[in-house]
C-alpha cells in the first residue's frame, strides 16, 4: 500500500519519464523526419515538466511580495522554461525548415528512402 | 668565435644551404655550386670545432627551454664530434658524386633532391651535437622525414612501396618504442641530458633498466637491429647517392651513434656491467650480424647485398658497445667511422657501375674490372675494409672490438666476429674475383662502356683513398674514440 | 570602463554584429562587419586573460544583478584560455572566409552566412564565459542552431541531411544537459556554477546528483563528439562549407570539452573525486576507443574532409584522455591539446578548403597530383599533418609529451604505449593523402589548379606557422594549460 502511495505521490515523475522515454523512442525508431521532430518535441516537453513540477507549490500564489501572499511558487523555473520553450520552438522551426529543404532536394522525407537513393548513386 | 657561435653556425650553414639551393633552382651549375659551397663551409666549421675539442675545450650552447624538463640544447662530445666530421666530410664527396650521378642519369626534380639532402645533413649535425635525448629525438625524426622524399625520389610504385616501409618502420619504432623510453627516462631519472657515467644508474630496479634498454635498442630503428631492419633493403629503391647517404653518411650512422650514446651517457657502461642487463643485447646483435651476412650471401642484386652487409656491420657496432669495456667502445666508435668511408665507397662503385653500364646484379659483373678499373679498384678496397683486412680502416675497428671482447671474456662476441668475417669474405670476394679475373659475358661485349662520369670517379677514388688513409693515420678518430671511452 | 566590461563585450559584440550583418544584406559589407568583430575578439580575450593572470578570477555581474541571483560571467584561467582560443581562430578565419564564401555560398545568402557565423561565435564565447548553468544551455543552443544552419549551407544536398542529423543529436545532447542541470538545481536551489559547487558538499552521493552527473556527461559528450556519440560529426564536417568546417572543427567541440572540464572538476569535483560513478574509467575507455577506432576508420575514407573529420574524433580522444588520467601532466596535456588540435585541424581544413576552392572537390582521386599544382598549400598541409602525427618540433609533440608523461607518472606504462601506438595510425592516413598528392599523376580535376588567392593562403600559412611556433615556445600554451590544470585539480582535492 505504501508502495502504491509512493507511486501515486510522485505521479508527476511518472509522466515526465513516460514522455521522455516515448519521445526518445520516436526519435530513434521512426524514419519519417517530421515524426522524429515530433518525438524530439515530446522529449523536450518532458524536461519542461521536470523543471516546472517541483517549482509549483499546491495552494501557492504567484510570487508577489506582500502580506497576503505568504506561500508562493518559485518563479525561477517558470522563467527558465519560458526560455527553454523559445529554444525548443526555434529548434523545431529550424528542423522543419531543413525537412522542407530535404524534401525539395531528395523528393522524400523518409530516411530509408533517402539513404537507399544515396547508395544507388 | 665562442663555442656557442660555432655550434649554431654548424647548424645554420646547411639550413641556409637549403634556401640557397631553392633560390638558385633556375641555374643548374649555380645550384650545384651552392651545394658544394655549403658543404665546404660546413666542413670548415666542423674542423674549427674539432680543433677546439682536441684541445680539450668544452663546447656547448645555452639551453632553450620548451617545457620544463624539455630543452633544446647542444653540446659537443667526442663521439658527436667524430660523427659530425664523418657526415660533413662525406657530404662534400657525396655532393660531387651526386652531381655526376644525377646528371648522368637525367634524374628529375634535382632541386628538391639537393634541398632534401641539405636538410638531412642539417638534421645529422643536430643529432651529432644534441646534448639531451629530446634534441636528439627532434633531429632524429627530422632526418627520417627529410630522407623520405629522397628514398621515394623515383616516384614510381616501387619507390612508393619502399618509402612506405621506410617511413613506417623508422617512425613506428621511434614513436612507439623510443619516445616512451625517453619519457620514462625523464620520469625515472628526472633529466634526459647526456651525462658521462649515465643518468639511470641507481635510480631504479634492474627489471626497469632491462625494459628500458630493450625499448631504446629496438626503438632506435635506424640502427637496424633485427627484426627492425626491413626498411634498409626497402630503401634500396632510392638513387645511389641517397643510398650512400643512408648507409654511410647519415641515417644508419645516426642509429648506431644514438645507440652508443645512449649506452654510454644514459645507462652508463659501468652501471650496465654491474647490473648485467646487457647480455641479451650481445646475443641480439650477434644474431643480427650472422643472419644478415647469411642473407647477404644469397642476394644477387648488388645494392641489396650491400644493404644486408650494412645491417650486419651496424650490429658490429652494437655488439661492440654491448661488450661494455672501454676498449670495445673505442672499437664501436672506430667502426662507425671505418664503415662510413668503406660503405660509401662500395655504394659509389655500385652507382657508377649502374650509370656506366646499367648493370645491377652481381652475376652480370664478370670482367667489369677491366673496363672500369678505378671503380672496381675502389670497390675492392671498400670490400677488403668490410672484411677487415689490413691495411684498410675496417681492420682497426675489428681489432679493438676483438681486443675488448677477449679482455672481458665475451667469447660469444669473439666467435661472432670471426665467423662473420668469413661470411663477409664469402660475399665480397667473389665479386672482386669475378670483376677482375672472369671473362665478360657475350652480351656485355656488345655494349662497350668505359668508366662512369668523372665526378663520380673522383668521389669514389677519394673515399677509397680515405679508407686506406684512415688505417695509416688513425690519430684523430682514435683520439676522439678514446676521449669517449675515457681511456 | 572598457576594461571592466570586457566580459560583456566579448559576447555582446558578435551578437550585435550578427544583427547588423542580417540588416546589411550585401555579402561584402557583412563580411566587413564580421571581420571587424572577429578581429576585435582576440584583443578582448587577451585582455581578459591578462587580467586573470594579474589579479585572479573575474566575476562580472551581468546587468548589475549580483550573483547568485543574477547571471554571473566568471572568468578564470581555464575559460580565459578557451575564450582566447575561440576568438583567435575566429579572427584568423575571417580574412580567409571572403574568397571561400564567395565561391561556395550564393550571393543572396552570403550576408546571412556571416550573420549566422557571428551568432555561432557569440554562442561559443557565451558558453565559455558564463558562470550560470542555464545560461550555458541558452548559449549552447544559440551556437548549435547557428551551426546547424551553417552546415546546411553546404553546396552538396547531403549537407542538409548532415545538418538534420546533427540537429537531432545536438538537441538530444542539449536536452540531456538541461535534465542534468534541472536535477542539480532541484538539489541545490541555485544555477550559479560556483554556488552549486559549494552547496553540493555532503550530498555528493545522493541519487539525484549522480543521475545529474550521468545526464550531464552524456549530454556534453554528444556535443563534443566523444566516441561513440560522434556519428553526427563526420557528415557535418564533410558537407559544411569550408569556412564553417574550419570554424566548427577548431572551436565547437573544444568549447564542449571545456564544459566537461568545468563540470567534472569545478562543479561536480566532489562527485568526481568520490568515484561513486566510474566516470574517469569510462572516459578512459571511450577515449582509447576514439583514438584507435575513429583513427582507423579515417584511414579508409575516400574524401579528405571526411578523413580529417574522423581524425578529429580520434584527436578528441586525446583531449578527453587527459581528463581520464587526472594528474597534472595528463590534464595539462589534455588542455594543451585542446589548443594545439584547434591549430592543427584549423590548418588542415583551411588547406583543404583552399583545394576545394580551386578544384571544387576533395575526393582523394581528385586531389591526386596536387603537390605539383599547389605546392605551397599542400606543403602547409604536410606540415600540419606532421603536427597531427606528433613529430617533435610541432605542437602535436607537446601534447603527446604531456600525455605520455602523465601516463608514466601514474604508473600506467600500458597507456603510454597505447598513446604512442595510436599516433602511428595518423601516420597512415596522413601518409595516404601525402602519397596521393605527390606521387600520383595529376588528376583531371586538378589539371588547371593553381595556388589559392593570397587572402586564403596567408591565413593558412599563419596557422601552420603557429603549429610550429607553439611547438617550441610553449609559455603561452602549455604554460597556461598547466595553470588551468592546477586550478581544475584543486577542485577535486
Amino acid at each position: 500500500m505504501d508502495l502504491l502511495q509512493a507511486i501515486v505521490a510522485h505521479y508527476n515523475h511518472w509522466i515526465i519519464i513516460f514522455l521522455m522515454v516515448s519521445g526518445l523512442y520516436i526519435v530513434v525508431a521512426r524514419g519519417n523526419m517530421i515524426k522524429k521532430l515530433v518525438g524530439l518535441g515530446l522529449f523536450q516537453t518532458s524536461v519542461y515538466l521536470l523543471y516546472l513540477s517541483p517549482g509549483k507549490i499546491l495552494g501557492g500564489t504567484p510570487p508577489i511580495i506582500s502580506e497576503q501572499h505568504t506561500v508562493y511558487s518559485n518563479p525561477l523555473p517558470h522563467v527558465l522554461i519560458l526560455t527553454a520553450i523559445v529554444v525548443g520552438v526555434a529548434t523545431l522551426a529550424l528542423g522543419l525548415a531543413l525537412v522542407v529543404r530535404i524534401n525539395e532536394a531528395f523528393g522524400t522525407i523518409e530516411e530509408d528512402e533517402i539513404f537507399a537513393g544515396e547508395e544507388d548513386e | 668565435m665562442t663555442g656557442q657561435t660555432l655550434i649554431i653556425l654548424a647548424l645554420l650553414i646547411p639550413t641556409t644551404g637549403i634556401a640557397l639551393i631553392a633560390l638558385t633552382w633556375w641555374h643548374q651549375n649555380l645550384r650545384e655550386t651552392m651545394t658544394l659551397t655549403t658543404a665546404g663551409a660546413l666542413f670548415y666549421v666542423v674542423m674549427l670545432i674539432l680543433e677546439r675539442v682536441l684541445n680539450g675545450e668544452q663546447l656547448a650552447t645555452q639551453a632553450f627551454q620548451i617545457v620544463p624538463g624539455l630543452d633544446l640544447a647542444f653540446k659537443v662530445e667526442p663521439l658527436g664530434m667524430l660523427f659530425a666530421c664523418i657526415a660533413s666530410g662525406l657530404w662534400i664527396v657525396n655532393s660531387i658524386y651526386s652531381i655526376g650521378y644525377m646528371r648522368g642519369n637525367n634524374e628529375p626534380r634535382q632541386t628538391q633532391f639537393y634541398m632534401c639532402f641539405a636538410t638531412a645533413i642539417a638534421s645529422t649535425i643536430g643529432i651529432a651535437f644534441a646534448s639531451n635525448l629530446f634534441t636528439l629525438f627532434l633531429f632524429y625524426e627530422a632526418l627520417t622525414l627529410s630522407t623520405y622524399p629522397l628514398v621515394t625520389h623515383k616516384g614510381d610504385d616501387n619507390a612508393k612501396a619502399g618509402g612506405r616501409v621506410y617511413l613506417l618502420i623508422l617512425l613506428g619504432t621511434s614513436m612507439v618504442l623510443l619516445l616512451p623510453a625517453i619519457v620514462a627516462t625523464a620520469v625515472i631519472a628526472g633529466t634526459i641530458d647526456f651525462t658521462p657515467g649515465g643518468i639511470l644508474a641507481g635510480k631504479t630496479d634492474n627489471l626497469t633498466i632491462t625494459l628500458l634498454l630493450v625499448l631504446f635498442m629496438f626503438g632506435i630503428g635506424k640502427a637496424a637491429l633485427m627484426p627492425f631492419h626491413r626498411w634498409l633493403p626497402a630503401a634500396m629503391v632510392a638513387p645511389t647517392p641517397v643510398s650512400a647517404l643512408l648507409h654511410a653518411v647519415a641515417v644508419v650512422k645516426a642509429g648506431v651513434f644514438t645507440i652508443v650514446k645512449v649506452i654510454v651517457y644514459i645507462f652508463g657502461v659501468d652501471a650496465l656491467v654491474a647490473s648485467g642487463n646487457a647480455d641479451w643485447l650481445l646475443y641480439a646483435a650477434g644474431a643480427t650480424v650472422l643472419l644478415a651476412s647469411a642473407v647477404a650471401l644469397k642476394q644477387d642484386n648488388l645494392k641489396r647485398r650491400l644493404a644486408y652487409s650494412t645491417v650486419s656491420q651496424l650490429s658490429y657496432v652494437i655488439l661492440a658497445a654491448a661488450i661494455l669495456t672501454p676498449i670495445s667502445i673505442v672499437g664501436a666508435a672506430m667502426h662507425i667511422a671505418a664503415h662510413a668511408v668503406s660503405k660509401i665507397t662500395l655504394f659509389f662503385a655500385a652507382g657508377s657501375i649502374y650509370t656506366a653500364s646499367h648493370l645491377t646484379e652481381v652475376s652480370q659483373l664478370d670482367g667489369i674490372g677491366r673496363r672500369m678499373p678505378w671503380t672496381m679498384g675502389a670497390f675492392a678496397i671498400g670490400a677488403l675494409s668490410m672484411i677487415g683486412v689490413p691495411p684498410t680502416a675496417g681492420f682497426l675497428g675489428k681489432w679493438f672490438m676483438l681486443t675488448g671482447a677477449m679482455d672481458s671474456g665475451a667469447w660469444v662476441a669473439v666467435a661472432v666476429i670471426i665467423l662473420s668475417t668469413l661470411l663477409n669474405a664469402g660475399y665480397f670476394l667473389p665479386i672482386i674475383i669475378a670483376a677482375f679475373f672472369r671473362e665478360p659475358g657475350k652480351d656485355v661485349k656488345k655494349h662497350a662502356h668505359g668508366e662512369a662520369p668523372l665526378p663520380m670517379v673522383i668521389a669514389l677514388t677519394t673515399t677509397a683513398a680515405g679508407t686506406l688513409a684512415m688505417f695509416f693515420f688513425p690519430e684523430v678518430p682514435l683520439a676522439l674514440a678514446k676521449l669517449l671511452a675515457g681511456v | 570602463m572598457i576594461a571592466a566590461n570586457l566580459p560583456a563585450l566579448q559576447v555582446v559584440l558578435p551578437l550585435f554584429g550578427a544583427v547588423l550583418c542580417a540588416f546589411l544584406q550585401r555579402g561584402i559589407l557583412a563580411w566587413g562587419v564580421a571581420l571587424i568583430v572577429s578581429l576585435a575578439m582576440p584583443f578582448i580575450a587577451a585582455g581578459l586573460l591578462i587580467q586573470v593572470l594579474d589579479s585572479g578570477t573575474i566575476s562580472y555581474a551581468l546587468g548589475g544583478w549580483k550573483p547568485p541571483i543574477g547571471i554571473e560571467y566568471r572568468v578564470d584561467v581555464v575559460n580565459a584560455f578557451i575564450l582566447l582560443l575561440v576568438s583567435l581562430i575566429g579572427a584568423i578565419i575571417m580574412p580567409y572566409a571572403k574568397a571561400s564564401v564567395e565561391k561556395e555560398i550564393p550571393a543572396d545568402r552570403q550576408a546571412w552566412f556571416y550573420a549566422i557565423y557571428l551568432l555561432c561565435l557569440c554562442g561559443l564565447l557565451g558558453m565559455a564565459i558564463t558562470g550560470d548553468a542555464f545560461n550555458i544551455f541558452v548559449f549552447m543552443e544559440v551556437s548549435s542552431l547557428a551551426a546547424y544552419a551553417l552546415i546546411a549551407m553546404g553546396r552538396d544536398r547531403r549537407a542538409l541531411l548532415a545538418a538534420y542529423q546533427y540537429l537531432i543529436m545536438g538537441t538530444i545532447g542539449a536536452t540531456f544537459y538541461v535534465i542534468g542541470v534541472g536535477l542539480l538545481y532541484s538539489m541545490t536551489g541555485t544555477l550559479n556554477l560556483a554556488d552549486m559547487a559549494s552547496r553540493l558538499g555532503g550530498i555528493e552521493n545522493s541519487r539525484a546528483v549522480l543521475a545529474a552527473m550521468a545526464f550531464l556527461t552524456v549530454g556534453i559528450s554528444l556535443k563534443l563528439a566523444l566516441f561513440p556519440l560522434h556519428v553526427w560529426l563526420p557528415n557535418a564536417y564533410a558537407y559544411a562549407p569550408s569556412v564553417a568546417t574550419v570554424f566548427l572543427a577548431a572551436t565547437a567541440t573544444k568549447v564542449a570539452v571545456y564544459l566537461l572540464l568545468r563540470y567534472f572538476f569545478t562543479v561536480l569535483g566532489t562527485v568526481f573525486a568520490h568515484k561513486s560513478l566510474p566516470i574517469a574509467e569510462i572516459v578512459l575507455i571511450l577515449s582509447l576507443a576514439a583514438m584507435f577506432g575513429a583513427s582507423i576508420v579515417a584511414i579508409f575514407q575516400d574524401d579528405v574532409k571526411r578523413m580529417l573529420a574522423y581524425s578529429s574524433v580520434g584527436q578528441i580522444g586525446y583531449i578527453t584522455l587527459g581528463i581520464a588520467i587526472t594528474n597534472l601532466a595528463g590534464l595539462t596535456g589534455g588542455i594543451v591539446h585542446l589548443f594545439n588540435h584547434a591549430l592543427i585541424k584549423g590548418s588542415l581544413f583551411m588547406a583543404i578548403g583552399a583545394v576545394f576552392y580551386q578544384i571544387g572537390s576533395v575526393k582523394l582521386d581528385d586531389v591526386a597530383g596536387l603537390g605539383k599544382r599547389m605546392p605551397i598549400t599542400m606543403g602547409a598541409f604536410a606540415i600540419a599533418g606532421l603536427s597531427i602525427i606528433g613529430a617533435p618540433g610541432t605542437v602535436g609533440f607537446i601534447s603527446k609529451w604531456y600525455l605520455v608523461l602523465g601516463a608514466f607518472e601514474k604508473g600506467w606504462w600500458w597507456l603510454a604505449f597505447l598513446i604512442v601506438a595510436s599516433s602511428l595510425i595518423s601516420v597512415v592516413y596522413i601518409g595516404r593523402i601525402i602519397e596521393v598528392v605527390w606521387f600520383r599523376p595529376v588528376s583531371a580535376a586538378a589539371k588547371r589548379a593553381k595556388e589559392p588567392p593570397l587572402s586564403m593562403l596567408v591565413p593558412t600559412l599563419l596557422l601552420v606557422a603557429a603549429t610550429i611556433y607553439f611547438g617550441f615556445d610553449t609559455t603561452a600554451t602549455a604554460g597556461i594549460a598547466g595553470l588551468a590544470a592546477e586550478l581544475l585539480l584543486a577542485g577535486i582535492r
Side-chain angles (χ1 to χ4, degrees), chain C residues 26-40:
Chain C
R26 295 243 341 255
I28 184 81
L29 294 177
W31 174 73
V33 173
L35 181 70
I36 293 168
V37 171
S38 304
L39 287 181

Side-chain angles (χ1 to χ4, degrees), chain C residues 10 38-50 53 75-92 121 124-125 128-129 250-251 255 339 342-343 470 476-477 480:
Chain C
Q10 182 93 74
S38 304
L39 287 181
M41 288 294 110
F43 291 100
I44 298 177
L48 283 173
L49 182 60
I50 291 168
L53 289 178
V75 188
D76 59 18
V77 184
V78 188
N79 53 355
F81 189 59
I82 302 292
L83 289 172
L84 188 63
L85 167 68
V86 172
S87 44
L88 268 179
I89 298 288
I92 210 152
L121 182 66
L124 291 174
L125 292 170
I129 203 170
T251 58
V255 176
F339 188 89
L343 295 183
F470 288 117
T477 55
I480 293 178

Side-chain angles (χ1 to χ4, degrees), chain B residues 17-41:
Chain B
I18 306 167
L20 290 176
I21 294 165
L23 290 174
T24 51
W25 59 272
W26 45 272
H27 194 285
Q28 239 190 0
N29 287 341
L30 194 60
R31 183 186 65 200
E32 264 72 300
T33 317
M34 289 303 163
T35 300
L36 288 175
T37 319
T38 318

Side-chain angles (χ1 to χ4, degrees), chain C residues 78-133:
Chain C
V78 188
N79 53 355
F81 189 59
I82 302 292
L83 289 172
L84 188 63
L85 167 68
V86 172
S87 44
L88 268 179
I89 298 288
I92 210 152
I93 284 176
M94 260 305 120
Y96 174 94
K98 184 170 171 288
S100 180
V101 167
E102 275 171 4
K103 188 96 171 186
E104 293 183 30
I105 311 280
D108 58 332
R109 292 208 198 126
Q110 284 172 15
W112 292 112
F113 179 88
Y114 291 115
I116 297 171
Y117 164 83
L118 283 181
L119 272 183
C120 191
L121 182 66
C122 162
L124 291 174
L125 292 170
M127 271 161 89
I129 203 170
T130 186
D132 182 280

Side-chain angles (χ1 to χ4, degrees), chain B residues 48-253:
Chain B
L48 287 181
I49 299 177
L50 175 66
E51 195 187 345
R52 305 228 180 157
V53 170
L54 289 178
N55 285 338
E57 217 175 301
Q58 292 280 348
L59 280 78
T61 64
Q62 275 172 343
F64 173 80
Q65 184 180 325
I66 290 182
V67 301
L70 211 58
D71 297 322
L72 193 63
F74 300 94
K75 191 175 77 191
V76 183
E77 47 74 55
L79 188 64
M81 190 65 245
L82 184 65
F83 186 33
C85 289
I86 297 169
S88 61
L90 292 183
W91 188 25
I92 303 178
V93 190
N94 203 338
S95 301
I96 298 172
Y97 184 84
S98 299
I99 294 167
Y101 184 91
M102 298 305 278
R103 293 189 182 181
N105 288 306
N106 286 322
E107 294 277 345
R109 298 187 296 280
Q110 294 194 15
T111 308
Q112 182 199 316
F113 174 88
Y114 289 110
M115 281 170 68
C116 289
F117 222 107
T119 318
I121 296 293
S123 315
T124 309
I125 299 293
I127 293 174
F129 291 154
S131 90
N132 58 44
L133 279 171
F134 165 69
T135 314
L136 190 136
F137 184 68
L138 170 72
F139 287 101
Y140 182 97
E141 297 293 50
L143 182 60
T144 309
L145 295 168
S146 63
T147 45
Y148 170 72
L150 292 173
V151 170
T152 54
H153 187 81
K154 284 211 174 99
D156 54 13
D157 282 346
N158 260 340
K160 233 163 43 179
R164 255 181 229 164
V165 176
Y166 182 76
L167 206 58
L168 274 182
I169 292 189
L170 286 189
L171 277 185
T173 48
S174 67
M175 278 182 162
V176 177
L177 303 173
L178 183 55
L179 179 60
I182 295 175
V183 184
T185 308
V187 172
I188 292 167
T191 172
I192 48 173
D193 288 341
F194 293 120
T195 316
I199 53 175
L200 282 171
K203 291 275 172 57
T204 180
D205 53 293
N206 260 348
L207 179 68
T208 316
I209 293 272
T210 314
L211 239 152
L212 276 178
L213 191 66
V214 171
L215 287 181
F216 270 115
M217 291 307 121
F218 288 107
I220 302 167
K222 289 197 169 100
L225 199 59
M226 277 184 180
F228 294 117
H229 67 287
R230 283 275 309 126
W231 62 273
L232 224 118
M236 280 301 103
V237 293
T240 309
V242 175
S243 303
L245 173 84
L246 297 179
H247 286 260
V249 183
V251 180
V252 299
K253 289 292 145 14

Side-chain angles (χ1 to χ4, degrees), chain C residues 211-232:
Chain C
M213 178 136 188
F215 273 111
L216 286 171
T217 309
V218 174
I220 299 172
S221 298
L222 258 165
K223 287 282 174 190
L224 65 82
L226 180 64
F227 193 92
L229 302 174
H230 68 281
V231 286
W232 58 269

